[in-house]
Amino acid sequence: MKTVLITRFSALGDVAMTIPIIYPVCKANPKVNFVFVTRKASEGMFVNKPSNLIVLGIELNNYKGLRGPMKLAQNLNHRYHFDAMADLHDVIRTKIMALQLEFHGVTVSIIDKGRKEKKKLTSGKSKQPVISTHARYKGVFSKLGLKTGEEFTSIFDHGEVPKSSIIPPKVKGDRWIAIAPFAKLKSKMYPLEQMKLVINELSRWEKCYIFLMGGGDEDREALDQIMLKYSNVMSLPHIKHTFADEISLLAQCNVMVTMDSANMHLASLVGLPVVSVWGATHPACGFLGWHQALRDTVQLDLECRPCSVYGKKKCRFGDYHCMRDISPELIIDKVKTVLER
């Protein structure tokens, strides 16, 4: 086996979750070349990658319809001549790619997403946690006979954290807290007005500095308004930056506060403990960050939870009380516990 195609087209968080598995696999199989194909927006996450890993960000608009994935598979195979495919996604697009490559003699290994087990969780028929997504990713490579390598610890592999021109120097004794208050789905987002109370309290702590993280223009405007109220709060979207800048910042932080979102998985890449806030979704569905502790999660024990694996369902009660009823004090106390640990 000389060249392996890896596929995962999805949200940033799902792609970030592949890194703690892919990096050790690459290092454990140095004579094998790996080509990871994902969305263009995710390409920049792969900081400090192994030398035998190529990351290709694809503009999926160029490969629409049923013929699109076939064309993509053909183009990639013509360029790299794959021996195997590790499908970490298992959706229509990657299924078509797999069929196309199998026709040309490529061995294919596909992730088992455990859809039935997860459906039992969201329907209330089971409370048994499912196998983690990380373990499922690892299983895909094991089926191909590849070594999965040593346990991942940090994207910087015990090396020095690269300096970022936008991140201020950290003074000994300072406590840095990263807070990412936004999520794409309402069922996964803690109410902003309540998160502002969390920020207000943490900003009063001695030698405490808060870094706000977010995405688009709407996020930036909201975070800028918060930043202007405090001397020790910095909004990262206010400054032009890259994934490398974000990861360099997180590597220097003491704790992060976020939801079941991509930011939890980015923090996990540098071994940063995360106080994660959960609403409609649940860690039992297998999406807790790499080596994140269940004791650091903030969630309410409700009969209706989890109601969704990915958070795409609307609240049946219409009020998202699984998030709304979490008090700011619960989050603040959890942050305090992590900092004192």
Side-chain angles (χ1 to χ4, degrees):
M1 191 179 296
K2 294 182 179 179
T3 310
V4 177
L5 170 67
I6 309 170
T7 53
R8 180 76 218 206
F9 304 99
S10 193
L12 291 175
D14 296 316
V15 177
M17 288 184 79
T18 67
I19 292 177
I21 306 304
I22 291 175
Y23 278 29
V25 167
C26 291
K27 292 173 183 178
N29 302 274
K31 294 183 179 180
V32 180
N33 292 315
F34 295 87
V35 180
F36 186 90
V37 182
T38 186
R39 292 179 182 271
K40 193 73 176 175
S42 302
E43 195 174 15
M45 272 194 296
F46 290 76
V47 176
N48 198 30
K49 62 184 179 63
S51 59
N52 58 334
L53 173 63
I54 296 171
V55 180
L56 294 179
I58 302 296
E59 290 290 357
L60 293 179
N61 286 334
N62 297 332
Y63 300 96
K64 292 181 178 180
L66 294 177
R67 288 184 176 273
M70 292 177 63
K71 179 183 175 184
L72 177 58
Q74 286 174 341
N75 291 349
L76 291 170
N77 198 31
H78 179 74
R79 183 177 175 183
Y80 294 104
H81 308 289
F82 300 117
D83 299 294
M85 173 183 176
D87 181 5
L88 305 184
H89 204 170
D90 190 27
V91 291
I92 294 296
R93 178 180 288 111
T94 57
K95 287 178 189 289
I96 295 173
M97 292 179 69
L99 287 171
Q100 177 69 23
L101 292 173
E102 278 185 313
F103 182 75
H104 290 281
V106 176
T107 302
V108 175
S109 178
I110 302 173
I111 188 172
D112 174 11
K113 286 189 171 180
R115 291 184 174 96
K116 289 183 179 179
E117 298 97 310
K118 291 173 183 175
K119 189 174 181 179
K120 286 182 180 179
L121 274 171
T122 56
S123 65
K125 294 180 181 179
S126 172
K127 294 292 184 182
Q128 185 66 34
V130 303
I131 298 170
S132 74
T133 300
H134 293 107
R136 296 182 189 277
Y137 286 159
K138 188 178 287 189
V140 176
F141 294 103
S142 295
K143 289 175 192 173
L144 291 174
L146 293 164
K147 297 175 184 177
T148 53
E150 298 178 359
E151 284 283 284
F152 178 92
T153 53
S154 169
I155 204 166
F156 299 120
D157 199 24
H158 301 294
E160 186 178 346
V161 177
K163 293 182 179 179
S164 167
S165 60
I166 70 165
I167 307 301
K170 186 176 184 180
V171 178
K172 187 177 180 180
D174 285 353
R175 297 178 294 176
W176 285 14
I177 302 174
I179 299 181
F182 296 107
K184 286 186 177 180
L185 301 168
K186 189 174 180 180
S187 66
K188 296 171 73 172
M189 182 173 161
Y190 188 59
L192 185 58
E193 291 306 311
Q194 289 170 245
M195 185 61 81
K196 287 178 180 178
L197 298 176
V198 174
I199 295 169
N200 182 65
E201 174 59 27
L202 298 180
S203 69
R204 295 163 59 186
W205 291 3
E206 187 178 357
K207 288 198 166 185
C208 223
Y209 295 86
I210 298 170
F211 296 85
L212 305 177
M213 304 177 73
D217 292 339
E218 191 174 328
D219 290 3
R220 186 182 69 246
E221 290 176 12
L223 296 181
D224 281 355
Q225 290 300 314
I226 297 173
M227 177 181 68
L228 292 172
K229 295 181 179 180
Y230 308 95
S231 60
N232 57 343
V233 175
M234 173 182 172
S235 171
L236 206 59
H238 186 75
I239 307 166
K240 188 176 181 180
H241 65 283
T242 64
F243 273 122
D245 292 318
E246 285 193 27
I247 294 172
S248 295
L249 167 64
L250 293 175
Q252 298 181 70
C253 287
N254 301 92
V255 65
M256 181 180 212
V257 179
T258 187
M259 273 68 72
D260 170 20
S261 67
N263 287 289
M264 172 177 62
H265 301 297
L266 285 176
S268 301
L269 297 181
V270 294
L272 175 65
V274 176
V275 172
S276 54
V277 187
W278 299 71
T281 58
H282 197 287
C285 291
F287 293 99
L288 187 63
W290 177 256
H291 283 186
Q292 294 297 337
L294 192 60
R295 61 181 175 175
D296 293 337
T297 62
V298 179
Q299 52 185 327
L300 300 178
D301 186 12
L302 301 172
E303 283 295 323
C304 58
R305 289 188 65 242
C307 66
S308 175
V309 175
Y310 305 107
K312 293 180 180 179
K313 291 183 180 179
K314 291 185 178 180
C315 176
R316 73 183 82 165
F317 304 105
D319 60 359
Y320 298 95
H321 62 278
C322 57
M323 276 294 194
R324 186 201 63 201
D325 288 353
I326 294 175
S327 70
E329 288 74 26
L330 275 176
I331 299 172
I332 293 165
D333 288 344
K334 192 72 73 171
V335 171
K336 184 178 181 182
T337 300
V338 173
L339 288 177
E340 293 177 349
R341 189 176 297 155

